[in-house]
Amino acid sequence: MSFAEQLTRLQAFLDADELHEEALDYVAAHGYLTALSICSEDVPDREWIDALFAEEPHYASDAQRTEIEATLVALKGHIARQLASDEEFDLPCELDLTDEPDDSDLRGWCIGFMEGVFLREEAWFENAEEEVSEMLLPIMVGSGLFDEQPEFADIASNANLQDDMIVQIPEALSALFLLLHAPDEKPALLKPRHH
């Protein structure tokens, strides 16, 4: 079975209604795996797979469990290779919160990404808290998880500003990956800006 076929089957499994209500769907799982691929600390497969599903899914067979888990691990590896390459990172959804942000795939992706960050929050912020926070901002805005906080409420109420931040997500991902995996090569985003 090709990787594309495996992903199609994984997507059907993750997007089915049978999973626990807190389990991540395919797009959110992609965000989650992207965060895990960027994190400087390696999270054991068993731990992140269990967290992704919230509770044990009802697999049709052991073979299905093996296939789904192997595809998740393969997808994580694929995302890590994409991040490490110089190509612009491809999200599995449009960079657009649409008119109904809570129902948009991008919001789901950003929430999944933040779930991945929360799994190892200390590792994300231990060495470069300020830079990491700055680079995470577009994803935090996209997630809507922080809209109650005053500085996020201002952005959320300004559609143009929100859109400006959202389109920076692929660039922010590359910069975060570089920062956490090759700290000696400071990404361009962090060079002092001349006013």
Side-chain angles (χ1 to χ4, degrees):
M1 188 171 15
S2 74
F3 185 51
E5 287 169 321
Q6 285 176 303
L7 286 185
T8 303
R9 288 170 67 149
L10 175 66
Q11 188 163 0
F13 185 82
L14 293 180
D15 290 348
D17 292 334
E18 290 83 68
L19 293 183
H20 187 272
E21 60 181 30
E22 288 175 19
L24 301 177
D25 65 14
Y26 179 77
V27 171
H30 189 286
Y32 176 75
L33 294 175
T34 304
L36 293 175
S37 300
I38 291 173
C39 184
S40 57
E41 186 181 318
D42 213 25
V43 179
D45 291 347
R46 186 72 269 147
E47 182 187 339
W48 65 254
I49 290 172
D50 290 347
L52 185 151
F53 286 117
E55 71 172 30
E56 177 80 16
H58 302 293
Y59 292 106
S61 61
D62 286 345
Q64 186 189 34
R65 169 207 288 269
T66 304
E67 180 196 321
I68 293 296
E69 293 187 354
T71 305
L72 280 166
V73 172
L75 177 58
K76 180 172 175 262
H78 173 77
I79 290 170
R81 286 189 297 280
Q82 227 188 330
L83 286 161
S85 77
D86 290 336
E87 295 160 34
E88 174 148 326
F89 190 75
D90 258 350
L91 270 72
C93 55
E94 297 294 320
L95 280 175
D96 181 10
L97 285 173
T98 69
D99 297 333
E100 296 290 336
D102 288 341
D103 298 331
S104 71
D105 281 346
L106 182 63
R107 169 135 303 166
W109 188 92
C110 291
I111 289 173
F113 188 97
M114 293 311 300
E115 292 284 336
V117 171
F118 298 147
L119 211 53
R120 283 293 183 277
E121 206 162 346
E122 277 178 24
W124 279 81
F125 297 104
E126 63 189 351
N127 293 324
E129 187 171 352
E130 214 169 291
E131 287 104 320
V132 169
S133 300
E134 189 184 323
M135 291 174 194
L136 279 175
L137 193 60
I139 300 164
M140 292 168 80
V141 167
S143 76
L145 295 172
F146 306 91
D147 285 357
E148 301 300 308
Q149 297 174 18
E151 62 272 32
F152 285 95
D154 292 346
I155 297 170
S157 63
N158 181 333
N160 290 339
L161 184 56
Q162 203 170 12
D163 290 346
D164 286 348
M165 302 217 72
I166 297 300
V167 295
Q168 294 173 26
I169 290 176
E171 196 184 330
L173 294 173
S174 303
L176 280 163
F177 186 81
L178 268 178
L179 181 71
L180 297 176
H181 290 270
D184 302 337
E185 297 176 38
K186 283 281 189 235
L189 209 68
L190 295 182
K191 290 190 180 128
R193 299 200 172 103
H194 297 295
H195 293 294

